[in-house]
Amino acid sequence: ETGVTQSPTHLIKTRGQQVTLRCSSQSGHNTVSWYQQALGQGPQFIFQYYREEENGRGNFPPRFSGLQFPNYSSELNVNALELDDSALYLCASSLGRSGNEQFFGPGTRLTVL
Amino acid sequence: GQNIDQPTEMTATEGAIVQINCTYQTSGFNGLFWYQQHAGEAPTFLSYNVLDGLEEKGRFSSFLSRSKGYSYLLLKELQMKDSASYLCAGVDNYGQNFVFGPGTRLSVLP
């Protein structure tokens, strides 16, 4: 059984650019949630995908968008990057959408210059 | 609103017991998670309380009072490796929105 994986590990972009982050869920899990974690703070919920459909969204602007594929892997896309988007982006997978335990990936560290 | 509050930092001694508190607004939450996060690493699951009471799992225990909007994580026989951030997270009734607290950074001293 493989765990949650994310790519890339680190990424440097400039303001205004677009970025795509990827996540492979743990085997057997059909739900993926994305979080943004600024340094020294708790993760902030971005959105959740269940069986390829968005199943909830936090307080993030529309330039944060996502996809979930038939194999339950997922992408997070951020357009028009801002300096404040610099953070650790965490992906977590779980089974079902009823608040089950979430398993986190190692994260992608995004730096916007 | 769905605010979750935790102390920012705590310090304890190796071998001691420490209790990390978490308070939250009672409306909208259906369960409470505790996660451990070492610096530079992903959070790892510790416990999940959906009913009132104490859940014990080895050296770690977690307590929930839904009517009071209060939870705590109890760590016994502290070890140096327990130095980490401990995150309290609420789950809404639909499991759609996970709200994390700011995390409590615990330092275990020899």
Side-chain angles (χ1 to χ4, degrees):
Chain A
E1 179 181 278
T2 56
V4 180
T5 61
Q6 292 186 243
S7 63
T9 308
H10 296 85
L11 200 54
I12 299 175
K13 291 284 189 178
T14 56
R15 199 169 44 180
Q17 287 188 308
Q18 178 267 341
V19 69
T20 297
L21 310 182
R22 295 179 175 82
C23 170
S24 291
S25 59
Q26 184 165 309
S27 176
H29 285 181
N30 54 15
T31 303
V32 170
S33 302
W34 285 93
Y35 296 86
Q36 180 195 68
Q37 186 175 26
L39 201 60
Q41 298 182 21
Q44 298 292 310
F45 177 72
I46 303 174
F47 43 56
Q48 182 184 86
Y49 279 86
Y50 170 70
R51 293 187 173 180
E52 303 179 61
E53 292 191 0
E54 190 177 285
N55 186 48
R57 189 179 180 91
N59 190 27
F60 280 80
R63 60 189 184 85
F64 285 78
S65 63
L67 282 174
Q68 187 178 32
F69 300 99
N71 66 354
Y72 303 130
S73 66
S74 178
E75 287 183 353
L76 164 65
N77 299 291
V78 187
N79 293 324
L81 283 167
E82 301 177 358
L83 298 180
D84 285 349
D85 295 334
S86 294
L88 179 68
Y89 288 85
L90 294 164
C91 162
S93 78
S94 57
L95 181 60
R97 54 182 177 177
S98 304
N100 291 326
E101 175 187 345
Q102 294 192 335
F103 294 82
F104 283 84
T108 294
R109 173 73 61 187
L110 172 65
T111 302
V112 182
L113 303 176
Chain B
Q2 296 176 312
N3 292 326
I4 294 185
D5 291 316
Q6 305 176 236
T8 306
E9 294 191 30
M10 296 183 71
T11 303
T13 305
E14 193 175 16
I17 298 173
V18 71
Q19 178 173 312
I20 302 174
N21 295 325
C22 170
T23 57
Y24 63 95
Q25 293 181 314
T26 56
S27 61
F29 285 134
N30 195 39
L32 211 75
F33 285 86
W34 282 95
Y35 281 84
Q36 180 192 61
Q37 187 176 28
H38 285 99
E41 298 182 11
T44 55
F45 171 82
L46 291 177
S47 69
Y48 175 45
N49 292 69
V50 65
L51 300 175
D52 289 353
L54 187 68
E55 295 272 347
E56 297 187 75
K57 192 183 294 184
R59 293 191 300 116
F60 292 4
S61 302
S62 58
F63 172 84
L64 178 66
S65 169
R66 290 173 295 170
S67 61
K68 295 181 179 178
Y70 170 66
S71 174
Y72 67 72
L73 179 70
L74 193 71
L75 292 77
K76 303 175 186 176
E77 302 170 16
L78 281 173
Q79 302 174 9
M80 300 296 289
K81 67 178 182 178
D82 296 330
S83 293
S85 285
Y86 291 85
L87 301 164
C88 172
V91 180
D92 71 9
N93 293 326
Y94 301 99
Q96 293 177 343
N97 193 17
F98 289 73
V99 180
F100 279 87
T104 298
R105 188 161 61 246
L106 175 65
S107 299
V108 180
L109 306 178

